[in-house]
Amino acid sequence: MPRSFNDRLAVLPQYLLPKQALTQFAGRLARAKRGDATHALIRRFVARYGVDMDEAANPDITSYASFNDFFTRPLRADARPLAQADYLCPVDGAISQFGAIEQDQIFQAKGHRYSTTALLAGDAALAAQFDHGQFATIYLSPRDYHRIHMPCAGRLQRMVYVPGDLFSVNPTTARGVPGLFARNERVVCLFDTARGSLVLVLVGATIVGSMATAWHGVVNPPRPGQIQRFDYTDQTIELARGAEMGRFLLGSTVVLLWPKGALKFNPDWAPGGPVRMGQAMGKALG
């Protein structure tokens, strides 16, 4: 039986599940401060997913008042050294896909592409800046460090909250749900950098209780059900290379976009390969 059929079959239950209700429940559970019960939940999670607590700035599980506090835990200062590279990997995770944007199309998985315009909430003018540019999609599993950092220095221009579905974003779902990253809830962040525009998209998923940015705080909840746009061009919000720009509360995916001729990817990169925040992602062109 073809793998594509098996993938579509595997994700079929997600169309039927009450994903919004499950996500709201997970968010309440993750925010709850229930002492020993919370610590027991964290211990089970650490054991189930093999989380390396030695990397945490505070490895003491009993010091975390809520699951969210644990999940967004900072790491030791020496846990993620920054490579000598023009562009750094912004997260821990696994490379889903990367490469060229073909006109307005981004490769998701075999047999699936989605449009840059759809990803960017229908902003065709912004999407046009990335025609024939480059993209990278990185999946964060539950065991990964869930803070997101800047691949290069940038000045924030805009942020857009885009409501959407809450499908899982694991590799099987990426192969089985068309246009996954352009249909899920997401937060689009546009930066101006020394080498042109950079877009960093935080993609939500089932039971991802919320997404937050360094300048705004928690973006969702609430979930207003309509696009919300935030303009920062009259402010000076500058983030250094390697600085934290946001975080997920439970695993998800980031998508990065660069204009044509901006970078050449690390030759060691390959779809499915593991990556860590601070590793070399690419070198600047020109």
Side-chain angles (χ1 to χ4, degrees), residues 151-176:
C152 62
R155 178 172 175 170
L156 180 66
Q157 301 295 301
R158 283 181 270 162
M159 180 178 79
V160 183
Y161 165 75
V162 189
D165 288 323
L166 289 168
F167 286 100
S168 170
V169 290
N170 63 33
T172 298
T173 310
R175 294 190 300 267

Side-chain angles (χ1 to χ4, degrees), residues 1-245:
M1 188 174 294
R3 183 178 185 179
S4 59
F5 178 81
N6 288 336
D7 290 334
R8 289 195 296 271
L9 192 63
V11 302
L12 182 60
Q14 293 190 46
Y15 286 91
L16 307 176
L17 286 172
K19 297 182 285 296
Q20 187 88 13
L22 286 172
T23 299
Q24 290 173 348
F25 174 78
R28 288 194 296 270
L29 182 64
R31 292 190 297 271
K33 298 179 179 181
R34 298 181 177 175
D36 290 344
T38 295
H39 300 149
L41 174 63
I42 294 171
R43 287 192 183 94
R44 285 197 293 271
F45 187 93
V46 168
R48 170 67 177 82
Y49 291 103
V51 177
D52 184 0
M53 291 302 292
D54 290 338
E55 293 185 329
N58 186 352
D60 180 8
I61 286 173
T62 63
S63 69
Y64 297 102
S66 70
F67 187 84
N68 276 349
D69 291 345
F70 154 73
F71 201 78
T72 59
R73 65 197 176 279
L75 300 183
R76 297 192 327 263
D78 62 349
R80 296 293 183 273
L82 303 184
Q84 295 298 314
D86 296 320
Y87 292 100
L88 303 174
C89 182
V91 293
D92 285 14
I95 301 165
S96 178
Q97 298 293 339
F98 68 100
I101 300 171
E102 298 181 1
Q103 193 69 31
D104 184 48
Q105 296 293 303
I106 298 173
F107 182 72
Q108 175 177 303
K110 185 177 180 180
H112 296 302
R113 294 180 181 271
Y114 60 95
S115 80
T116 314
T117 301
L119 179 69
L120 302 179
D123 191 336
L126 178 59
Q129 296 184 35
F130 302 97
D131 283 354
H132 307 293
Q134 302 285 325
F135 80 95
T137 306
I138 305 173
Y139 167 67
L140 290 73
S141 73
R143 68 171 292 172
D144 290 319
Y145 169 61
H146 274 75
R147 298 192 180 197
I148 307 153
H149 295 254
M150 292 293 290
C152 62
R155 178 172 175 170
L156 180 66
Q157 301 295 301
R158 283 181 270 162
M159 180 178 79
V160 183
Y161 165 75
V162 189
D165 288 323
L166 289 168
F167 286 100
S168 170
V169 290
N170 63 33
T172 298
T173 310
R175 294 190 300 267
V177 176
L180 174 64
F181 305 122
R183 66 193 295 176
N184 265 19
E185 179 181 50
R186 55 201 180 276
V187 176
V188 178
C189 304
L190 172 66
F191 296 92
D192 184 36
T193 78
R195 299 179 179 91
S197 296
L198 166 71
V199 162
L200 205 160
V201 183
L202 286 62
V203 182
T206 311
I207 74 170
V208 175
S210 67
M211 295 176 279
T213 63
W215 56 87
H216 183 93
V218 173
V219 179
N220 64 320
R223 291 182 165 88
Q226 60 188 14
I227 293 173
Q228 292 184 307
R229 302 182 188 274
F230 304 85
D231 191 297
Y232 299 97
T233 53
D234 61 346
Q235 302 180 43
T236 303
I237 301 176
E238 296 179 338
L239 294 166
R241 171 181 173 272
E244 181 185 342
M245 63 76 59

